[in-house]
Amino acid sequence: MGEITVIGAGVIGLSIAHELAAAGHRVRILAAQDAAGSVSAVAAAIWFPHDVDPSAQVLDSAQVTYHRLERLARRPETGVRMRAGTVLVRRADTDTSWTRAVPGCEVLGYAQLPGGIAAAEGTSGLRCTMPLAVTGAYLRWLRAAVLALGVRMHVTEVRSVQQVLEQGEPDAVVVACGIRSAALLGDDDQTFPIRGQVVRLLNPGLTEWVIDDDNPEGLTYVVPRDRDVVCGGTDEPGSWDERVNPETEQAILRRVRALVPALAAQPIVSRAVGLRPARSTVRLGAVAGYDRPVFACYGHGGAGFTLSWGDAARIAALIGPA
């Protein structure tokens, strides 16, 4: 193929553009906003398959991404860090299938949980080392890497795939713009938002993360980055509200400070809301009904960073070399 248009400049769109350009294609990105304005910029961006169906394909893509991010972490300028932490387990039926994609995961009993975690007796854990991205630094690095490969980027409102085909005359189109993807294609009624709210605190020196999906008070996670700690969160299916809710923020702060007491006196640095693009399954593949090849790659829920490089490689394989 000659030129390929990627719609979307979040972590999925940028990763796809990178892999296609690296394979020799001429690529342009069309997006309503730059990466800094996308939901990717809101994410805690720790490797973890959250709000996504843990199918074999998802776990394979997650594993590919894990190893790619692990390599990128050797270069500090990428913003990727390898950090140890604990996933708390409060239920016997907790899905731990994701551990097959993570090397060296260790099962912890209650007495073995790290001292900085204040969890109820009977809670166990899975301790492992995960990649996480300092989102601002990582998205800047990824954008620069894409541009260095010759990809052209245009910030513009896209109303439909047909509009792109008629105006730009690309040889193929990849739709990878998160929650807006279904509307652009017009053939998908399975996609819905999951509202996520976070508050970021000044980092008192923490390096270890904690994920507590089954906290009885609500989804709770603590992800320390270089200077701040991303604290969450919420899982609100169907909500399109992108406003910060003060009451929700206070509830998040109560949960994270109870779980990690070292955060008790830390000031708020920033706050944000993002809409995770959820679906019963990730949509990745060819889309019928157009006069040129069109591909979809969206519906990653809270696992955009987790699946980014693996799914980008899948799209590149479907399209083939230049």
Side-chain angles (χ1 to χ4, degrees):
M1 295 182 183
E3 180 170 277
I4 301 173
T5 295
V6 176
I7 305 174
V11 68
I12 298 294
L14 288 174
S15 300
I16 290 170
H18 186 284
E19 298 302 84
L20 291 174
H25 294 285
R26 289 185 290 111
V27 181
R28 68 167 180 166
I29 294 174
L30 302 180
Q33 51 195 353
D34 199 64
S38 70
V39 69
S40 298
V42 176
I46 186 169
W47 186 102
F48 193 72
H50 182 70
D51 281 339
V52 68
D53 175 43
S55 66
Q57 178 172 301
V58 162
L59 294 179
D60 285 346
S61 279
Q63 189 170 49
V64 168
T65 305
Y66 184 102
H67 292 299
R68 183 70 167 264
L69 292 174
E70 187 177 38
R71 294 194 297 274
L72 289 174
R74 300 169 192 164
R75 301 162 54 191
E77 73 275 11
T78 66
V80 181
R81 315 286 183 246
M82 297 299 295
R83 295 277 173 84
T86 305
V87 178
L88 297 183
V89 179
R90 296 178 181 266
R91 304 191 336 261
D93 62 347
T94 296
D95 179 19
T96 59
S97 59
W98 56 268
T99 57
R100 79 166 175 82
V102 180
C105 201
E106 177 187 6
V107 179
L108 303 179
Y110 175 71
Q112 298 169 300
L113 294 177
I117 299 175
E121 190 169 352
T123 304
S124 59
L126 294 164
R127 183 171 175 78
C128 39
T129 298
M130 305 285 210
L132 66 86
V134 180
T135 48
Y138 181 70
L139 291 172
R140 283 193 299 273
W141 170 82
L142 183 54
R143 184 181 186 277
V146 163
L147 294 177
L149 288 170
V151 175
R152 291 163 292 125
M153 191 173 298
H154 305 280
V155 176
T156 183
E157 189 70 35
V158 177
R159 289 182 291 278
S160 70
V161 173
Q162 191 59 44
Q163 170 202 351
V164 174
L165 291 171
E166 291 173 355
Q167 294 180 357
E169 298 185 357
D171 294 287
V173 173
V174 182
V175 181
C177 53
I179 197 63
R180 296 186 63 249
S181 299
L184 292 185
L185 288 166
D187 66 345
D188 178 10
D189 59 2
Q190 298 183 47
T191 302
F192 59 95
I194 297 181
R195 180 182 180 276
Q197 181 169 329
V198 299
V199 55
R200 306 179 186 106
L201 304 180
L202 188 67
N203 191 346
L206 300 178
T207 58
E208 296 215 357
W209 49 265
V210 186
I211 296 174
D212 190 6
D213 269 354
D214 296 318
N215 188 304
E217 302 299 321
L219 170 65
T220 306
Y221 52 86
V222 172
V223 181
R225 304 192 295 189
D226 293 350
R227 297 183 179 86
D228 63 5
V229 182
V230 182
C231 300
T234 62
D235 262 330
E236 300 176 51
S239 174
W240 291 90
D241 187 0
E242 296 185 80
R243 297 170 297 177
V244 171
N245 184 308
E247 293 180 2
T248 299
E249 181 174 288
Q250 288 305 308
I252 291 170
L253 290 172
R254 284 193 297 271
R255 294 198 302 274
V256 299
R257 287 169 172 166
L259 185 65
V260 182
L263 295 173
Q266 295 308 111
I268 294 172
V269 174
S270 62
R271 45 179 65 88
V273 172
L275 304 180
R276 304 180 189 115
R279 209 170 175 275
S280 56
T281 59
V282 173
R283 187 178 188 184
L284 193 158
V287 180
Y290 297 94
D291 63 358
R292 274 157 284 168
V294 173
F295 301 88
C297 187
Y298 66 91
H300 297 88
F305 279 89
T306 304
L307 303 179
S308 56
W309 289 111
D311 279 3
R314 289 182 186 278
I315 290 291
L318 286 173
I319 291 176

